[in-house]
């Protein structure tokens, strides 16, 4: 009996390659026989009959027809795109106006920036004073500043 433990990885790889080559040869032989059967069963091609001469018709203006088709199909899409572009331009104008307004405002001291954002959210002067460790008078001043800048709700 053959001792299989004596076979190394090189011999095992060689054996696997031989088995794979035999299988590939078998598969190619099967494909060749199937192809031969398919060719034998295929009907003979019909003889080619030359086309009868047609009377000459002047060629239509294809470019004009394509232009009308494109115009008919693309006009609604172009109109929708133009409408959307106008809307985007309006939004961009609004954003640029707001940015100009913000750039024209005097800078806020860093210690009051949080208080200003709380005032913009509509918190009361007492709540702002409590959260930012400042006096109620300072918080009321910050609320008034926010309202003058159009940031607060005016309550």
């Amino acid at each position: 009996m053959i001792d299989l433990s004596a076979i190394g990885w090189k011999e095992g790889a060689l054996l696997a390659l031989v088995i794979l080559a035999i299988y590939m040869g078998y598969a190619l032989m099967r494909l060749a026989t199937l192809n031969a059967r398919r060719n034998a069963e295929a009907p003979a091609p019909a003889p080619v009959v030359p086309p009868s001469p047609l009377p000459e018709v002047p060629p239509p203006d294809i470019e004009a027809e394509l232009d009308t088709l494109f115009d008919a199909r693309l006009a609604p899409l172009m109109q929708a795109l133009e409408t959307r572009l106008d809307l985007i331009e309006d939004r961009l104008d609004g954003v640029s106006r707001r940015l100009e307004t913000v750039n024209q405002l005097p800078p806020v001291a860093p210690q009051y920036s949080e208080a200003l954002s709380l005032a913009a959210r509509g918190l009361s002067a007492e709540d702002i004073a409590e959260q930012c460790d400042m006096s109620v008078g300072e918080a009321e001043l910050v609320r008034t500043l926010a309202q003058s800048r159009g940031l607060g709700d005016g309550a």
Side-chain angles (χ1 to χ4, degrees):
M1 182 135 211
I2 298 175
D3 183 21
L4 294 178
S5 64
I7 297 176
W9 68 273
K10 290 180 183 178
E11 290 84 8
L14 183 61
L15 179 64
L17 283 174
V18 168
I19 291 172
L20 182 63
I22 291 170
Y23 174 74
M24 290 296 288
Y26 173 74
L28 288 173
M29 186 178 69
R30 289 282 296 156
L31 284 174
T33 57
L34 286 174
N35 195 16
R37 278 191 209 158
R38 191 176 300 151
N39 288 339
E41 293 173 0
V48 177
V49 178
S52 61
L54 298 174
E56 284 206 27
V57 178
D61 190 10
I62 294 176
E63 284 187 30
E65 288 182 30
L66 284 175
D67 286 343
T68 57
L69 282 175
F70 280 139
D71 289 343
R73 291 188 178 178
L74 292 179
L77 294 174
M78 290 299 292
Q79 183 65 32
L81 284 175
E82 288 174 2
T83 304
R84 199 153 186 201
L85 182 62
D86 290 341
L87 179 66
I88 290 171
E89 286 175 348
D90 291 342
R91 285 184 181 173
L92 185 61
D93 288 341
V95 168
S96 64
R97 274 183 267 141
R98 280 192 237 150
L99 183 61
E100 287 175 12
T101 304
V102 168
N103 285 340
Q104 292 173 357
L105 294 174
V108 177
Q111 64 266 26
Y112 293 109
S113 62
E114 182 182 359
L116 189 59
S117 67
L118 292 174
R121 285 193 262 155
L123 269 68
S124 68
E126 291 80 18
D127 292 337
I128 295 171
E130 183 180 323
Q131 289 187 21
C132 295
D133 292 329
M134 61 175 59
S135 68
V136 176
E138 284 178 306
E140 287 175 358
L141 184 63
V142 168
R143 277 184 47 104
T144 305
L145 179 63
Q147 290 171 1
S148 70
R149 291 184 175 186
L151 299 174
D153 61 358

